[in-house]
Amino acid sequence: MAMESWPVCACPHAEGSVMSSTAEEQGRQREAAHARGPKHEPNKWLTLVAVCLGTFMLLLDVTIVNVALPDIQTSLKASFSDLQWVVDAYALTLAALLLTAGSLADMYGRKLLYCIGLVVFTVASMFCGFAPNHLFLEVSRGAQGVGGAIMFSVSLALLADAFRGKDRGAAFGIWGAVTGVAVAIGPLLGGALTSGLSWRWIFFVNLPIGIGALAMTVVRVHESKSPAAHRPDWLGVLTFTTALASLIYALIESSERGFSSGRVVGCLIAAAVLLVAFYLAERLGKHPMFDLGLFAVPTFSGGLIAAFGLSASIFSLLLYLTLYLQDTLQFSPLGTGLRLLIISGGILVVATLSGRFSSRVPVRWLIGPGLLIVAVGLLLMRGLNAGSHWTHLIPGFIVSGIGVGLINPPLASTAVGVVEPQRAGMASGINSTFRQVGIATGIALLGTLFATRTHDQIVSRLAHISGTHPYVGKIATGIKSGEITGVITALPANLRGPVAVAARGAFTDGLNLILLVCAVIAVVSGALALVLIRSKDFVRQDGPAPAAH
């Protein structure tokens, strides 16, 4: 992993300690050291800008897409499962390739891989913007995830190589602030672009950012590699990726076919077999992408459970909240983004305070209670019905934002604080992978539960409205796919009002169900985090140990 070499100087020639057998070779090394020395210091802040631009772009795409999904659905005539894949294709490739991209960067150069990641992400963004159909968009989103995995896995290693001493802490702090801002403003910026221009501009906006970051990286960022780099674990990548893809496909397809479908059952069995194969590959391989020994450390496992639970609950739910605000309550993308800003703004504000608390309070008392607070916020959002307005969600939005803000800063330190610095890259990468796996599986699972409940509810409610029998199938499909408005418009005038109320009630009933499921996930994750995360598991780093540990 690229971040494994943080404590190691990646500039051996600058040390003047490399022995050569000829005077000519020594001269070349001195010239290289002289040429590199004066450039390294002035370039570090431009390196920070280049890394922050790339990170901002890739994290923005995690949240910016949500508010545009209803418009994408209408424009590309996409189904509900297609919308799930638009989000999951990105999360899946990002999760699958994070650790592998870091290994490749250690071998071939972090600057080189970062440039490749920028190119792949930027070109894929252009393809997303020009997508003629949902399948093309889903494939392009997967390509975005490939580029994003490369950039994300290399970004901190580039900063660690460029900065030393107090400046390194400042650089990491700025990078962390940029990540928070990107996630926070994603819904608002996505709403503004979608309402003002088109959903395609949420992808086109990446082009100038990507080109600028690439130019700055090529000209100003300098190359570094790891002397202890090893080849990627390709067998682990293959088994892990196919297992995860099979699981997500089965969950998404189950909403259409049911869990008794032969295809769904076959994919679930394949996922289980492939996960066993992945375990064996990691246990027996010389250079596994997942160090299974880390899972024996309770605090490390507790951090992974918290990362997965956070993503599988509140962050997976954002897709369905967006559909509710736009499809059911008929808010514009910009109006939706403004309302979701209550959550993301709360996260940003509280995360700043949580970062300060983490130096004084044991992290278990931030992460565990933070997840329980998220659960309370999710429960406060429940109770929706056909007559509810969006203001019903405000208390839950505020409380959930506070909970997430408490969790994020200490969760990062939990991932790397239980290992020695040389293994911090892999530990951090595994934690990031579990975050993306949580989003991918959470969206798929919630989608199945939501689609099943809304279908059952609309059928039941329509049975009490005379004259709707010929339209039941079309109405049920419309509410599940998010196209209920068009379906209602095509109904006879005397049915439109009663069917609209029934559809809204069915939708909110499905949303109430997945809100409860997300709350349960958050409670279980929080309880396990409280039990598993222990102060004694933290490794003392160079210098005094932080008070939180």
Side-chain angles (χ1 to χ4, degrees):
M1 181 69 181
M3 290 175 279
E4 289 179 25
S5 55
W6 287 1
V8 181
C9 177
C11 319
H13 294 317
E15 302 284 344
S17 60
V18 178
M19 300 298 293
S20 67
S21 57
T22 65
E24 181 180 0
E25 179 63 20
Q26 291 175 347
R28 283 199 297 268
Q29 290 186 15
R30 284 194 297 270
E31 290 175 4
H34 177 74
R36 180 173 174 180
K39 289 182 181 178
H40 185 71
E41 186 69 18
N43 288 351
K44 64 182 181 181
W45 297 110
L46 290 176
T47 297
L48 176 62
V49 173
V51 169
C52 285
L53 280 175
T55 303
F56 178 84
M57 181 172 62
L58 75 93
L59 289 179
L60 192 66
D61 263 44
V62 174
T63 55
I64 196 174
V65 172
N66 281 335
V67 294
L69 287 175
D71 279 35
I72 291 173
Q73 183 177 43
T74 302
S75 175
L76 301 183
K77 295 179 171 55
S79 67
F80 180 65
S81 61
D82 293 329
L83 293 186
Q84 291 175 280
W85 276 115
V86 168
V87 179
D88 274 354
Y90 185 78
L92 176 61
T93 50
L94 192 61
L97 298 176
L98 267 172
L99 292 169
T100 301
S103 296
L104 289 171
D106 284 346
M107 289 179 63
Y108 298 109
R110 293 157 188 149
K111 173 182 175 179
L112 173 62
L113 264 292
Y114 191 70
C115 287
I116 292 173
L118 281 168
V119 170
V120 171
F121 191 94
T122 305
V123 172
S125 297
M126 181 183 67
F127 286 153
C128 286
F130 286 118
N133 54 59
H134 62 82
L135 179 59
F136 192 95
L137 177 60
E138 291 157 18
V139 173
S140 299
R141 284 282 287 167
Q144 271 192 314
V146 173
I150 297 172
M151 288 190 290
F152 200 60
S153 67
V154 177
S155 57
L156 287 181
L158 287 173
L159 295 183
D161 180 68
F163 289 86
R164 299 290 184 271
K166 292 187 299 182
D167 285 348
R168 178 181 287 186
F172 285 173
I174 293 171
W175 181 85
V178 168
T179 63
V181 170
V183 174
I185 71 169
L188 182 60
L189 181 58
L193 290 171
T194 304
S195 294
L197 297 169
S198 160
W199 65 265
R200 298 182 185 275
W201 282 91
I202 67 172
F203 299 111
F204 289 148
V205 73
N206 290 334
L207 302 187
I209 300 176
I211 292 171
L214 178 63
M216 194 173 297
T217 302
V218 170
V219 174
R220 295 298 184 181
V221 176
H222 97 120
E223 187 61 281
S224 65
K225 301 179 183 179
S226 171
H230 54 75
R231 294 188 177 278
D233 174 19
W234 293 117
L235 181 57
V237 173
L238 178 63
T239 52
F240 178 74
T241 305
T242 50
L244 186 57
S246 296
L247 175 61
I248 292 170
Y249 179 82
L251 291 174
I252 291 177
E253 282 296 301
S254 65
S255 65
E256 298 286 342
R257 303 173 184 274
F259 280 102
S260 61
S261 164
R263 181 181 299 184
V264 172
V265 172
C267 286
L268 289 174
I269 292 173
V273 171
L274 287 164
L275 283 174
V276 172
F278 171 70
Y279 172 81
L280 294 175
E282 300 309 281
R283 176 65 70 185
L284 302 176
K286 292 183 178 180
H287 301 292
M289 60 183 268
F290 277 35
D291 182 353
L292 298 179
L294 291 174
F295 292 85
V297 181
T299 297
F300 183 78
S301 296
L304 295 185
I305 291 170
F308 179 90
L310 186 64
S311 293
S313 57
I314 182 66
F315 288 121
S316 296
L317 184 69
L318 288 177
L319 166 61
Y320 304 96
L321 289 175
T322 299
L323 292 176
Y324 173 64
L325 291 169
Q326 290 186 239
D327 286 347
T328 301
L329 299 185
Q330 298 295 300
F331 287 111
S332 68
L334 178 58
T336 300
L338 285 170
R339 286 159 177 82
L340 292 177
L341 194 61
I342 297 173
I343 298 178
S344 52
I347 294 172
L348 191 60
V349 171
V350 177
T352 303
L353 300 175
S354 177
R356 296 177 181 177
F357 292 155
S358 61
S359 63
R360 302 178 180 88
V361 180
V363 294
R364 65 185 296 187
W365 295 113
L366 294 174
I367 296 173
L371 279 162
L372 298 180
I373 291 172
V374 168
V376 171
L378 293 167
L379 292 175
L380 286 174
M381 294 182 212
R382 296 189 76 240
L384 293 164
N385 56 51
S388 297
H389 198 257
W390 83 274
T391 51
H392 175 94
L393 298 170
I394 292 177
F397 279 6
I398 294 172
V399 173
S400 295
I402 292 171
V404 176
L406 284 175
I407 298 165
N408 269 337
L411 189 57
S413 65
T414 300
V416 300
V418 296
V419 298
E420 60 274 15
Q422 290 75 16
R423 302 166 75 196
M426 176 178 285
S428 177
I430 294 174
N431 188 273
S432 297
T433 298
F434 267 67
R435 286 176 182 256
Q436 298 305 317
V437 171
I439 290 177
T441 55
I443 285 175
L445 175 62
L446 296 181
T448 295
L449 297 174
F450 175 78
T452 302
R453 174 59 68 93
T454 53
H455 179 274
D456 293 344
Q457 279 293 309
I458 193 62
V459 171
S460 173
R461 291 167 187 260
L462 291 178
H464 297 90
I465 303 175
S466 61
T468 58
H469 180 71
Y471 310 102
V472 170
K474 184 178 293 186
I475 294 170
T477 301
I479 191 173
K480 189 166 66 173
S481 64
E483 299 173 341
I484 189 61
T485 302
V487 173
I488 292 174
T489 303
L491 293 174
N494 65 309
L495 295 179
R496 292 172 191 167
V499 170
V501 173
R504 191 162 170 168
F507 193 103
T508 53
D509 195 79
L511 190 55
N512 284 330
L513 172 64
I514 61 175
L515 279 165
L516 178 60
V517 172
C518 288
V520 171
I521 293 172
V523 166
V524 172
S525 302
L528 290 173
L530 275 172
V531 171
L532 292 172
I533 297 175
R534 310 178 305 182
S535 298
K536 64 181 181 180
D537 288 337
F538 286 88
V539 174
R540 181 177 292 274
Q541 310 293 330
D542 293 337
H549 306 337

